[in-house]
Amino acid sequence: MNNRLFKPLMFLLVLLSTIFNNASYSQEKSGIGGDFTLTSQQDKPYSLKDARGKVVLMFFGFTHCPDVCPNILGSIKAVLAELGDSADQVKPLFISVDPERDTPEVLSEYVKYFDPSVVGLTGTQDQIDAVVKQYRARYRLDKDNGSESYNVDHTSNLYVIDQQGKLVRIIPYGMPASEILNTVNKLISTT
Ligand code: NI
């Protein structure tokens, strides 16, 4: 193809793919989320409904995670500290995708290290898979090496759910805590 045609054609392709990506993204996002019931670190049923009236900060992970999960929990902890008295209007949820190792007891020890308000959730792999699917998340247990210390690849987005249980924002991993704080503050101030 000669260069005179190539550039405008490439421009058109980029433009079209941008339009299609945005369209499918907004359509997709409207179908994501919803209620679920799993098991808390107290070994009791816990439903997303139990957090109604609060802004939920939710993510998927596993307690053996070397960096991503501790970083997300660190950001959540920083947000709660910034919120001060308003921190009780936020409910952080940590959903383990590794129930074999993350029993309620293990989760209990783990989440309280970060903040006592964090609810750690587990369940059967099927129950967890259903929630993963609802939120269009992904994970992969990397058990091929046969070792006890397997890794787990997992979605590292932070899901922001409003006081009515509606997913309002997906914050990609790596955004500063101030970005999370701004989103939470907007939701708190509108109620
Ligand atoms: Ni992780």
PDB file of all heavy atoms in Angstrom, residues 16 43 68 89 97 138 188:
ATOM      1  N   LEU A  16     -12.106   4.252  14.561  1.00  0.00           N
ATOM      2  CA  LEU A  16     -13.194   3.279  14.649  1.00  0.00           C
ATOM      3  C   LEU A  16     -13.023   2.349  15.850  1.00  0.00           C
ATOM      4  O   LEU A  16     -13.986   2.087  16.573  1.00  0.00           O
ATOM      5  CB  LEU A  16     -13.263   2.433  13.362  1.00  0.00           C
ATOM      6  CG  LEU A  16     -13.982   3.086  12.181  1.00  0.00           C
ATOM      7  CD1 LEU A  16     -13.859   2.219  10.949  1.00  0.00           C
ATOM      8  CD2 LEU A  16     -15.452   3.337  12.506  1.00  0.00           C
ATOM      9  N   ASP A  43     -16.496 -16.919  59.699  1.00  0.00           N
ATOM     10  CA  ASP A  43     -17.129 -18.172  59.273  1.00  0.00           C
ATOM     11  C   ASP A  43     -18.652 -18.061  59.283  1.00  0.00           C
ATOM     12  O   ASP A  43     -19.357 -19.016  59.568  1.00  0.00           O
ATOM     13  CB  ASP A  43     -16.664 -19.340  60.174  1.00  0.00           C
ATOM     14  CG  ASP A  43     -16.729 -20.682  59.443  1.00  0.00           C
ATOM     15  OD1 ASP A  43     -17.074 -20.695  58.241  1.00  0.00           O
ATOM     16  OD2 ASP A  43     -16.450 -21.717  60.078  1.00  0.00           O
ATOM     17  N   VAL A  68       0.519  -7.227  45.021  1.00  0.00           N
ATOM     18  CA  VAL A  68      -0.678  -6.510  44.573  1.00  0.00           C
ATOM     19  C   VAL A  68      -1.713  -6.354  45.703  1.00  0.00           C
ATOM     20  O   VAL A  68      -2.147  -5.239  46.014  1.00  0.00           O
ATOM     21  CB  VAL A  68      -1.312  -7.199  43.341  1.00  0.00           C
ATOM     22  CG1 VAL A  68      -2.643  -6.566  42.980  1.00  0.00           C
ATOM     23  CG2 VAL A  68      -0.357  -7.114  42.148  1.00  0.00           C
ATOM     24  N   GLN A  89     -18.339   5.002  57.004  1.00  0.00           N
ATOM     25  CA  GLN A  89     -19.285   4.959  55.875  1.00  0.00           C
ATOM     26  C   GLN A  89     -18.729   4.136  54.713  1.00  0.00           C
ATOM     27  O   GLN A  89     -19.316   4.099  53.632  1.00  0.00           O
ATOM     28  CB  GLN A  89     -19.603   6.375  55.397  1.00  0.00           C
ATOM     29  CG  GLN A  89     -20.322   7.205  56.455  1.00  0.00           C
ATOM     30  CD  GLN A  89     -20.779   8.538  55.911  1.00  0.00           C
ATOM     31  OE1 GLN A  89     -21.434   8.593  54.881  1.00  0.00           O
ATOM     32  NE2 GLN A  89     -20.402   9.606  56.597  1.00  0.00           N
ATOM     33  N   VAL A  97      -9.769 -15.654  46.049  1.00  0.00           N
ATOM     34  CA  VAL A  97     -10.054 -16.616  44.971  1.00  0.00           C
ATOM     35  C   VAL A  97      -9.307 -17.926  45.227  1.00  0.00           C
ATOM     36  O   VAL A  97      -9.271 -18.809  44.386  1.00  0.00           O
ATOM     37  CB  VAL A  97      -9.665 -16.037  43.586  1.00  0.00           C
ATOM     38  CG1 VAL A  97     -10.563 -14.857  43.230  1.00  0.00           C
ATOM     39  CG2 VAL A  97      -8.193 -15.636  43.532  1.00  0.00           C
ATOM     40  N   ARG A 138     -11.078 -11.988  36.665  1.00  0.00           N
ATOM     41  CA  ARG A 138     -10.398 -13.206  36.217  1.00  0.00           C
ATOM     42  C   ARG A 138      -9.369 -13.601  37.254  1.00  0.00           C
ATOM     43  O   ARG A 138      -8.830 -12.754  37.961  1.00  0.00           O
ATOM     44  CB  ARG A 138      -9.660 -12.946  34.901  1.00  0.00           C
ATOM     45  CG  ARG A 138     -10.554 -12.956  33.693  1.00  0.00           C
ATOM     46  CD  ARG A 138      -9.750 -13.031  32.412  1.00  0.00           C
ATOM     47  NE  ARG A 138     -10.585 -12.643  31.287  1.00  0.00           N
ATOM     48  CZ  ARG A 138     -10.719 -11.399  30.858  1.00  0.00           C
ATOM     49  NH1 ARG A 138     -10.055 -10.431  31.441  1.00  0.00           N
ATOM     50  NH2 ARG A 138     -11.504 -11.127  29.840  1.00  0.00           N
ATOM     51  N   ILE A 188     -20.069   9.837  49.301  1.00  0.00           N
ATOM     52  CA  ILE A 188     -20.500  10.148  50.663  1.00  0.00           C
ATOM     53  C   ILE A 188     -21.241  11.479  50.703  1.00  0.00           C
ATOM     54  O   ILE A 188     -22.264  11.617  51.352  1.00  0.00           O
ATOM     55  CB  ILE A 188     -19.289  10.153  51.630  1.00  0.00           C
ATOM     56  CG1 ILE A 188     -18.796   8.726  51.870  1.00  0.00           C
ATOM     57  CG2 ILE A 188     -19.667  10.802  52.954  1.00  0.00           C
ATOM     58  CD1 ILE A 188     -17.552   8.653  52.728  1.00  0.00           C
TER      59      ILE A 188
END
